Amino acid sequence: MAQSWYSIVDDELSQVDDQMRTEVRSAYPELNEMCEQTLKSRYHIVRPALCILSYYANGGKEKDIAVNTASCFEAVFEGLHLHDRIDENGQVTGGRKKMFSKVPSTTKVIVAGDFMYVMGFRLAYGKVPKTVPYLMKASSSISDAIFSIVNREHDPNVTEEECMKILADKSGIEYQVLMECGAEQAGAEEDRRNAMRECGTCIGMALRLESELNDLIGDGNRDTLFEGHPSLPIFYSMQDAKSGEKIREIFSKKEISPKEAEQAVSLIKGTDAVDRCKALIRRYMQKASEIISDLSDSDYKKSLLAFVNDEI
């Protein structure tokens, strides 16, 4: 069986899981279930792996630092993502329900998100305090992005600039801070930290764009469309001379039926939106690859390159 790109840090990733389960374990079974479910997404592997690899590729040596740094980022980000499963009306809605064995109350989702968020900061302050400013920066950026999304929901007049800013503030920031912080924990110089920050931003924006495309035209739940979230795939498709007006009409509705959603998806596939987004993903990952290529040769560098090159 072929090894995964992150196999070199399998042991550290296992410790991240153990660490998070230890930190978020509580006396309430439902809270434990919600926290446990957050550990099953693809990005729960990707984020810690990139953080740990950034640390080692920049000269870090201490496994405990690598594991604790990745763990506190992951707990905080997963806490924020739990909050993101609540819509502007205070309801757990759409495909987001499917992550739970039964739909929990809004209060329980908020409590679970707060719990993981606080545990992440507690771990950071107690074991890897250099991560705290990064966690605060990311939290502020993501919160601003969520408000921007709410303000622009179902708005056919959203601009490309606004979509790009949301992409950077909500998703680019996560990978930006964890890869930059990994480098700082390793003792990297400022120019190298800046480079890893740019690398992380590129990766984060590419992965989010990939996720948005999968949600719209792949096997996703069409949440982006149903919930009216502004995104580049939808923005680009609304500019289409032939189908743009109909896509705008559907996107602007507060309540979109499944039939209308499938019509919009069919129309989007017929525009150049998908190709434009895929080209942008490639550019972001190519830039990340160039930055990583400047690192000193190591197996950790090879792992980072394997990840980004596979995404191009």
Side-chain angles (χ1 to χ4, degrees):
M1 178 181 293
Q3 288 186 318
S4 61
W5 61 270
Y6 54 82
S7 59
I8 193 172
V9 292
D10 272 344
D11 186 53
E12 286 87 345
L13 291 174
S14 178
Q15 289 185 45
V16 168
D17 280 358
D18 292 343
Q19 176 89 279
M20 289 188 65
R21 289 186 174 96
T22 299
E23 293 294 327
V24 304
R25 186 61 56 194
S26 75
Y28 301 98
E30 286 182 285
L31 179 56
N32 289 335
E33 180 191 358
M34 282 188 280
C35 292
E36 185 72 22
Q37 288 298 319
T38 64
L39 307 184
K40 296 182 178 180
S41 75
R42 173 199 178 195
Y43 300 107
H44 171 63
I45 295 175
V46 174
R47 284 189 301 257
L50 291 178
C51 181
I52 293 166
L53 288 169
S54 179
Y55 172 73
Y56 286 141
N58 281 282
K61 304 294 184 184
E62 300 295 329
K63 181 182 288 189
D64 285 349
I65 292 177
V67 170
N68 289 328
T69 299
S71 296
C72 68
F73 276 120
E74 195 60 13
V76 167
F77 290 154
E78 289 294 3
L80 289 170
H81 293 165
L82 275 171
H83 285 170
D84 197 29
R85 293 180 174 94
I86 301 170
D87 68 12
E88 72 277 11
N89 297 314
Q91 301 297 316
V92 181
T93 61
R96 295 162 175 179
K97 295 178 181 180
K98 296 181 180 179
M99 73 171 290
F100 307 116
S101 60
K102 61 180 180 178
V103 180
S105 68
T106 300
T107 299
K108 288 177 179 177
V109 174
I110 292 173
V111 170
D114 286 349
F115 190 74
M116 292 193 76
Y117 186 80
V118 170
M119 291 304 100
F121 266 96
R122 185 177 73 175
L123 175 62
Y125 275 108
K127 295 186 177 180
V128 278
K130 286 183 180 179
T131 64
V132 173
Y134 291 99
L135 291 171
M136 295 175 67
K137 177 182 179 181
S139 298
S140 175
S141 178
I142 292 169
S143 296
D144 287 346
I146 290 172
F147 281 113
S148 295
I149 290 171
V150 171
N151 288 337
R152 285 308 214 172
E153 283 182 351
H154 297 287
D155 185 352
N157 297 314
V158 67
T159 67
E160 181 178 18
E161 181 181 4
E162 287 169 328
C163 290
M164 291 291 288
K165 189 173 189 308
I166 289 170
L167 193 65
D169 289 350
K170 190 170 187 291
S171 301
I173 187 68
E174 290 187 359
Y175 295 84
Q176 174 194 121
V177 297
L178 63 84
M179 293 193 76
E180 181 185 359
C181 185
E184 180 177 350
Q185 293 280 40
E189 298 293 334
E190 183 178 2
D191 61 341
R192 178 50 50 191
R193 298 198 303 271
N194 291 341
M196 298 311 293
R197 178 171 68 241
E198 182 180 5
C199 179
T201 302
C202 289
I203 290 173
M205 294 180 74
L207 291 178
R208 180 59 188 175
L209 259 181
E210 180 184 73
S211 176
E212 289 176 348
L213 283 178
N214 183 64
D215 178 65
L216 278 175
I217 64 170
D219 59 2
N221 298 304
R222 315 291 191 252
D223 285 353
T224 306
L225 190 57
F226 283 120
E227 296 172 18
H229 288 180
S231 69
L232 283 175
I234 290 176
F235 170 80
Y236 289 145
S237 69
M238 290 192 298
Q239 312 311 305
D240 185 74
K242 181 180 178 181
S243 303
E245 189 58 38
K246 185 61 180 179
I247 296 170
R248 288 168 63 89
E249 177 188 330
I250 295 172
F251 180 69
S252 65
K253 292 185 175 183
K254 298 300 181 184
E255 296 290 335
I256 299 173
S257 70
K259 183 177 180 180
E260 289 172 324
E262 290 311 308
Q263 181 185 11
V265 168
S266 179
L267 292 172
I268 289 169
K269 289 179 178 179
T271 72
D272 67 352
V274 175
D275 287 341
R276 292 178 71 177
C277 288
K278 287 183 176 179
L280 188 55
I281 290 169
R282 287 193 295 272
R283 289 201 296 274
Y284 281 137
M285 286 301 191
Q286 284 168 349
K287 180 60 180 177
S289 180
E290 291 170 6
I291 293 170
I292 294 166
S293 294
D294 287 338
L295 292 169
S296 300
D297 288 340
S298 70
D299 288 339
Y300 304 109
K301 171 185 173 179
K302 291 178 182 177
S303 294
L304 287 170
L305 285 173
F307 171 72
V308 298
N309 290 336
D310 186 56
E311 297 287 330
I312 294 175

